[in-house]
Amino acid sequence: MSKRTTAILPPRKATADAAPSPARAGTDRMVDLIAVCSMLGISKTTIYDKLRNDPTFPKSKKVGIRAVRWSEQAVKAWRDALPEYEPMSPAKAIVRRT
C-alpha cells in the first residue's frame, strides 16, 4: 500500500480589481434558520411565529426532506423595512412614603 498525501495550500488572495464571476453575479444566497436568527437577532421560535402570523415576513423554501432555507436578500429587505426602534421614555422615579 502506498501512503496518500494531501497538500495543504494557503488560501488564494483576492485581488482588488477582480470582478465577481458572471455565474454568481445575479444569484441570491439561501441561508438556514440559524443564519436568519443571527441576521435578525431573534430566536427560532420567534421566526416560526412570524411565519405563521406576519404576512410580510419572507417565506421559507423547502430544499430537502427536512431542510428549509430563506433568501438572504428577502430577509435583509424585510429587516431594513422595519421601523426604527424608539426606546420608551424613562419611567419616573417611584417615591416611597414612610
Side-chain angles (χ1 to χ4, degrees):
M1 272 197 262
S2 66
K3 287 187 177 180
R4 241 178 135 172
T5 58
T6 305
I8 299 175
L9 301 174
R12 293 183 183 183
K13 293 182 180 178
T15 58
D17 58 349
S21 68
R24 289 184 153 273
T27 59
D28 182 23
R29 273 186 43 187
M30 299 299 285
V31 293
D32 64 354
L33 179 62
I34 302 300
V36 174
C37 289
S38 67
M39 286 168 55
L40 300 177
I42 56 179
S43 70
K44 294 182 211 177
T45 304
T46 305
I47 298 272
Y48 285 117
D49 283 343
K50 291 199 175 294
L51 278 171
R52 268 186 249 111
N53 302 322
D54 186 356
T56 63
F57 192 76
K59 301 296 179 202
S60 60
K61 294 178 182 146
K62 195 164 181 116
V63 295
I65 294 172
R66 293 176 44 174
V68 294
R69 299 288 186 267
W70 282 262
S71 161
E72 184 179 35
Q73 289 178 349
V75 173
K76 285 182 178 179
W78 181 83
R79 179 192 63 194
D80 295 341
L82 291 174
E84 290 293 319
Y85 171 75
E86 294 180 24
M88 295 175 56
S89 61
K92 294 181 180 178
I94 299 172
V95 179
R96 292 189 179 181
R97 296 180 191 187
T98 56

